Amino acid sequence: MQLTSIVLLASLLFSGLPSHAAATTPISAARAKTLLPAVAKVTLQRNSTTGLLDYCARRFVSLKPRSENARKLWLQRNKAIMTKADSLRDRLWQSLKQQQSGLQAETTILNIEQLVQQNVRKKIHALASYTPVQQRLICQQLILAVHNGDWDISHKLSKAYSTLQNFH
């Protein structure tokens, strides 16, 4: 499934809820419609970046130190927004559980998590489908781009980054 599927599912999660749901939850249904897609995108970006860098480190031993260094650097630079996204995700899950039946909420949460993981697997599979020479070149370009900050959440997902940064 595509990222658009994640965003669509996330935006539909809180639609059609009773009007009293927003008043009894920490995050209103209307606000959740904008926050959940942003949280999903940040989670997907984190899992994709670290997954691809891990693949490069495993696939090319000579790139392992540079790939691991880029991974650590990326995690450090994006720590604050990822921490906020994780915290918001937990609050959104709690809101969802309050607004839907337990089984329905768990199913919805599981579907979102599965969509994120499927997207990550597709990206890694796409990289693995290239020839070894092409894979190495892509891994080198990825490591350089991550090191230069081109894959940072604030750069790649500026709208989602702003949405999460502006939530208080």
Side-chain angles (χ1 to χ4, degrees):
M1 302 229 173
Q2 300 294 344
L3 178 60
T4 53
S5 299
I6 294 170
V7 173
L8 178 61
L9 180 59
S11 66
L12 292 175
L13 284 177
F14 290 89
S15 63
L17 296 173
S19 59
H20 71 279
T24 61
T25 60
I27 300 176
S28 71
R31 191 69 176 128
K33 284 183 181 182
T34 59
L35 289 173
L36 195 52
V39 168
K41 288 177 183 180
V42 167
T43 302
L44 178 61
Q45 183 65 26
R46 172 183 46 209
N47 294 356
S48 297
T49 302
T50 58
L52 288 168
L53 288 169
D54 290 347
Y55 174 85
C56 292
R58 284 189 313 273
R59 180 72 175 92
F60 301 102
V61 177
S62 62
L63 295 179
K64 186 175 181 176
R66 290 177 41 214
S67 182
E68 288 175 347
N69 184 46
R71 184 183 198 277
K72 287 178 189 174
L73 183 62
W74 189 90
L75 289 170
Q76 288 172 351
R77 284 195 309 242
N78 292 280
K79 183 179 181 175
I81 196 66
M82 290 186 311
T83 300
K84 189 163 191 175
D86 290 342
S87 175
L88 282 172
R89 183 192 62 229
D90 293 343
R91 288 179 62 194
L92 287 164
W93 283 176
Q94 290 305 313
S95 296
L96 184 61
K97 287 177 184 177
Q98 290 175 4
Q99 296 168 14
Q100 296 181 357
S101 71
L103 181 59
Q104 184 182 7
E106 291 297 325
T107 301
T108 301
I109 292 166
L110 182 60
N111 285 341
I112 292 171
E113 291 173 352
Q114 286 177 341
L115 285 171
V116 168
Q117 289 309 314
Q118 286 173 1
N119 269 282
V120 172
R121 281 193 298 272
K122 283 182 182 181
K123 290 178 181 187
I124 293 170
H125 181 71
L127 176 57
S129 70
Y130 288 100
T131 67
V133 171
Q134 291 170 322
Q135 286 180 39
R136 183 177 182 80
L137 180 60
I138 292 168
C139 285
Q140 289 171 328
Q141 291 172 343
L142 172 65
I143 291 167
L144 180 61
V146 167
H147 203 288
N148 289 338
D150 296 337
W151 274 57
D152 284 2
I153 293 169
S154 62
H155 183 75
K156 293 272 292 183
L157 302 170
S158 58
K159 185 175 179 182
Y161 180 83
S162 296
T163 299
L164 296 179
Q165 282 294 95
N166 294 330
F167 181 78
H168 302 287

